[in-house]
Amino acid sequence: MQIEPLPRQRRKEARPAEIIEAALLLFHQKGYSATKLDDIARFAGVTKGTVYLYFSSKEALFKAAILETIQPNLDRIEEAAMSSQASATQRLKTAMSSWASSMNECKGSITKLMIAEAGNFPELSDFYIETVVKRSRKLLIHLIQAGIDSGEFRPIDADMLARTIFSPILLTSIWRHTYAKLDPITYSLNQLSDFHLDIIFNGIALSEQS
């Protein structure tokens, strides 16, 4: 598959963002290991020296991509969920809906990329786990525990529930970037999130008739 370079931008201040965009596209299409800084520079329409002007290495570029693309979304999700005076149920729904929306907008799955490269680049895996995975799970645990403390949820292992809530969304996102052509998913991540939370809160068994 021929990969077309991104349109060249003349504004100097736009270059770091363009380089990050080019890097992520190539990481998703070729894999992190197979992508060279020369490839990224060519794809971004700059020289390799320009890449080094902003990023000291491919590892530094990847970390910058995480910070620039995922962290702002996490900031918004946390702000929306934590600042609300709504119930714990509604705040949990808000957080999951926001996560699903941000993952729907992604052109590729960074989680899939990290799974593929984890064994070869443990330092990058550690960075991703600390800055994205643990931070996301911490928010879910906080919202769950708030619901337990208020009596809205029954006492339950908050960490295990947090993993249970988020896992289907994450797996479906990875599936869409891996097997979608063979087994298409016709619903959005937001629809899946709403469905899954309905199961979490209401189950599937009919209430006993009195």
Side-chain angles (χ1 to χ4, degrees):
M1 174 181 174
Q2 183 67 30
I3 302 176
E4 296 296 330
L6 296 174
R8 182 187 294 271
Q9 298 285 346
R10 295 183 180 278
R11 293 179 295 109
K12 183 177 180 181
E13 61 272 19
R15 286 177 185 167
E18 292 170 359
I19 294 170
I20 287 174
E21 181 184 2
L24 282 175
L25 287 171
L26 288 175
F27 290 158
H28 288 309
Q29 293 183 30
K30 299 178 62 176
Y32 180 83
S33 299
T35 301
K36 309 301 181 186
L37 284 180
D38 287 324
D39 302 327
I40 296 170
R42 190 181 315 110
F43 194 49
V46 299
T47 65
K48 187 176 180 179
T50 300
V51 175
Y52 276 118
L53 183 64
Y54 298 103
F55 308 102
S56 60
S57 64
K58 187 168 70 169
E59 290 81 0
L61 176 51
F62 179 84
K63 290 180 179 180
I66 296 294
L67 295 176
E68 292 296 323
T69 60
I70 296 181
Q71 294 286 63
N73 287 331
L74 291 179
D75 291 341
R76 287 191 291 271
I77 293 167
E78 287 179 351
E79 182 177 3
M82 299 291 282
S83 63
S84 172
Q85 298 301 311
S87 65
T89 297
Q90 187 55 53
R91 289 194 289 157
L92 196 55
K93 288 181 178 179
T94 296
M96 290 305 299
S97 177
S98 299
W99 261 312
S101 294
S102 65
M103 294 171 76
N104 267 326
E105 295 167 2
C106 290
K107 296 179 180 179
S109 173
I110 290 183
T111 301
K112 174 192 169 185
L113 178 64
M114 290 311 307
I115 291 173
E117 304 288 1
N120 296 323
F121 302 96
E123 181 184 345
L124 292 184
S125 296
D126 289 345
F127 179 81
Y128 179 74
I129 293 294
E130 291 295 331
T131 58
V132 177
V133 176
K134 288 186 178 180
R135 181 180 173 183
S136 301
R137 190 164 64 238
K138 182 179 179 181
L139 173 60
L140 284 181
I141 290 172
H142 174 84
L143 296 176
I144 293 166
Q145 190 60 51
I148 294 172
D149 294 341
S150 68
E152 195 172 335
F153 305 152
R154 67 180 175 84
I156 196 169
D157 187 316
D159 179 80
M160 189 177 296
L161 180 57
R163 295 172 187 267
T164 301
I165 289 175
F166 199 72
S167 293
I169 313 300
L170 192 60
L171 177 60
T172 302
S173 175
I174 295 172
W175 190 278
R176 290 172 62 193
H177 296 286
T178 308
Y179 301 118
K181 291 183 179 180
L182 300 174
D183 184 17
I185 294 176
T186 58
Y187 45 82
S188 71
L189 293 180
N190 294 82
Q191 290 173 304
L192 175 62
S193 175
D194 291 343
F195 177 86
H196 184 53
L197 286 179
D198 178 63
I199 298 298
I200 291 289
F201 290 128
N202 301 309
I204 62 173
L206 291 172
S207 300
E208 292 185 6
Q209 300 295 322
S210 58

